[in-house]
Amino acid sequence: LFSSADLIRSSFKAGTKTLTGTLAVTSDSLRAFATITIIQGTLSYIIITPASVSVPFSGSRTFTAQGYDKYGNPISNLKFYWDTKIGQLSTTTGTTVVFTGGTNTLIGTLSATLGTITGFATITIEGGTFTYILITPGTTSVKVGGTLSLTAQGYDQFWRLIAGLSYTWQTAMGSLSTTSGTNTIFTAGTLTLT
């Protein structure tokens, strides 16, 4: 009769990639096979895609998280906890989330966590589109030959000031101390006009 004492044992060390294959043993003219599946290891790190992105005011972007073992093998069927302090999230759990930015210029992070492992993405919320120019004062009266200091400021669609813009001034009602820049002084002509 066959007994366990007749067995010859050998150890097998798995490689670092997930796969299914066969292991063979041969004795004289006989051969036997075993099927072995190498599965992922435990979660080692999380990668969020995209890792760094710019989002306009109130703009949205989709992010995806993927977990890996220490050998770089992707691990499926994971549910991550999402968190950020600089915008709104479509969900707080899962592998995919839609981030919506606020209306402040900020740089911050989006995180995906499972247990003690966390991955991060960097998000920059940028200013909106140049939409308005406001002249101060907007409506006023000036005596013939009088002067008036004027200021121009540009704003985005959320009425947030945009710095660093260049302006060109022009008028047919008098003269200007300068035709470029944020500020100018208007000198009225000698005719009354509106």
Side-chain angles (χ1 to χ4, degrees), residues 3-181:
S3 70
S4 60
D6 297 318
L7 291 175
I8 299 174
R9 291 181 170 84
S10 179
S11 62
F12 168 80
K13 183 175 181 180
T16 59
K17 296 299 178 185
T18 57
L19 54 88
T20 298
T22 57
L23 182 143
V25 62
T26 304
S27 179
D28 291 330
S29 61
L30 297 177
R31 192 172 219 194
F33 298 91
T35 300
I36 298 175
T37 299
I38 302 173
I39 62 174
Q40 305 95 337
T42 56
L43 180 64
S44 179
Y45 60 95
I46 298 168
I47 293 179
I48 299 176
T49 305
S52 181
V53 70
S54 294
V55 177
F57 285 171
S58 299
S60 296
R61 189 67 185 262
T62 300
F63 292 84
T64 301
Q66 175 64 62
Y68 297 86
D69 66 17
K70 67 179 181 179
Y71 299 109
N73 296 304
I75 303 173
S76 57
N77 300 319
L78 299 178
K79 285 189 177 181
F80 304 99
Y81 173 74
W82 296 92
D83 189 39
T84 187
K85 305 295 186 217
I86 63 168
Q88 300 296 317
L89 300 175
S90 61
T91 183
T92 56
T93 59
T95 56
T96 301
V97 69
V98 177
F99 168 88
T100 300
T103 57
N104 292 307
T105 301
L106 295 170
I107 297 177
T109 59
L110 170 69
S111 65
T113 301
L114 181 57
T116 60
I117 310 298
T118 301
F120 295 95
T122 301
I123 301 173
T124 301
I125 301 177
E126 298 180 326
T129 304
F130 180 30
T131 306
Y132 309 105
I133 299 176
L134 183 64
I135 299 175
T136 305
T139 302
T140 189
S141 297
V142 181
K143 290 183 180 181
V144 171
T147 60
L148 177 66
S149 294
L150 299 166
T151 300
Q153 294 286 358
Y155 296 85
D156 66 19
Q157 69 269 36
F158 301 103
W159 283 102
R160 295 191 179 275
L161 181 66
I162 300 175
L165 297 175
S166 60
Y167 303 93
T168 301
W169 298 86
Q170 58 186 13
T171 184
M173 298 175 60
S175 62
L176 299 167
S177 62
T178 180
T179 57
S180 63

